Amino acid sequence: PMAPGAQSYQTGNSRPFSTRDLNHPAYHFAVGLDAGEQQGFYLRVRTNAALSLMAEVYDERHYRVEKDLELGAYGIFAGVFLGLILYNLMLYVSVRQSSALWYIAFASATFSLLLFFDGRFNQYVLPDYPAVNYQLTLLNYALASIAAGMFYRSFLKLARYPVLDRVGLGLLCVF
């Protein structure tokens, strides 16, 4: 049994968002304390996976600054990826270079991995299907690797070097 006034939250990547007490991928929550007041925190984690857990305590002002910096960096990163995708799309349309299409596939898979890593995909696209999100993450790793290998193959024109091309394709199959 919990102490009177205690709070308990159930959340996690393996739970659908509709059943989470903390409906945010960062698992943050606010605790109000008066000046000089002390509060104990207990954290219990159940997992079947290897876990690296980092807990941080912020006052509200520092938390807002940290979140604003994080969102700004995320926006810049997303903008760069979308810019690269559009640039390579225009490159393909203008010169019909197949390596541009492979780069678009690589950048798109990498960008979607970014959405999986920070929880945005899990929260907004398929919020109630955590097992599907996990499988899609694994699929995106494979797609990003294959697209990167095919981009290098196309960009470097490895087909002109049959032995090197076969070695490269063999390595790509291993990955």
Side-chain angles (χ1 to χ4, degrees):
M2 291 181 33
Q7 294 175 320
S8 174
Y9 300 107
Q10 301 234 352
T11 191
N13 289 339
S14 61
R15 294 178 65 109
F17 266 86
S18 62
T19 66
R20 294 182 186 187
D21 294 330
L22 298 175
N23 199 9
H24 190 277
Y27 311 127
H28 62 257
F29 57 93
V31 176
L33 296 176
D34 294 327
E37 183 181 357
Q38 293 184 359
Q39 178 71 45
F41 293 92
Y42 300 94
L43 180 66
R44 181 172 66 181
V45 177
R46 284 188 241 169
T47 182
N48 293 331
L51 179 69
S52 176
L53 183 66
M54 182 176 74
E56 298 175 284
V57 178
Y58 291 95
D59 63 21
E60 186 173 357
R61 186 177 66 80
H62 286 104
Y63 175 76
R64 296 282 175 223
V65 167
E66 185 80 18
K67 282 315 236 184
D68 288 346
L69 286 172
E70 182 182 307
L71 286 173
Y74 179 84
I76 291 169
F77 197 61
V80 167
F81 264 100
L82 293 175
L84 287 170
I85 290 168
L86 289 174
Y87 170 76
N88 279 281
L89 183 60
M90 289 186 294
L91 185 65
Y92 176 74
V93 168
S94 63
V95 295
R96 298 283 186 223
Q97 191 175 15
S98 64
S99 62
L101 282 179
W102 285 114
Y103 189 83
I104 290 169
F106 166 70
S108 298
T110 304
F111 180 71
S112 65
L113 279 172
L114 170 70
L115 296 176
F116 280 105
F117 287 153
D118 76 351
R120 291 184 198 308
F121 190 91
N122 301 7
Q123 185 176 14
Y124 298 116
V125 180
L126 293 172
D128 290 328
Y129 300 97
V132 173
N133 285 327
Y134 178 73
Q135 296 299 324
L136 287 173
T137 303
L138 296 178
L139 178 64
N140 263 332
Y141 277 122
L143 291 176
S145 299
I146 291 168
M150 294 304 289
F151 165 71
Y152 295 136
R153 182 176 179 260
S154 176
F155 185 75
L156 297 174
K157 298 180 181 16
L158 290 182
R160 295 183 297 181
Y161 309 99
V163 173
L164 194 55
D165 190 37
R166 282 194 301 276
V167 169
L169 286 173
L171 288 173
L172 190 58
C173 288
V174 168
F175 286 119

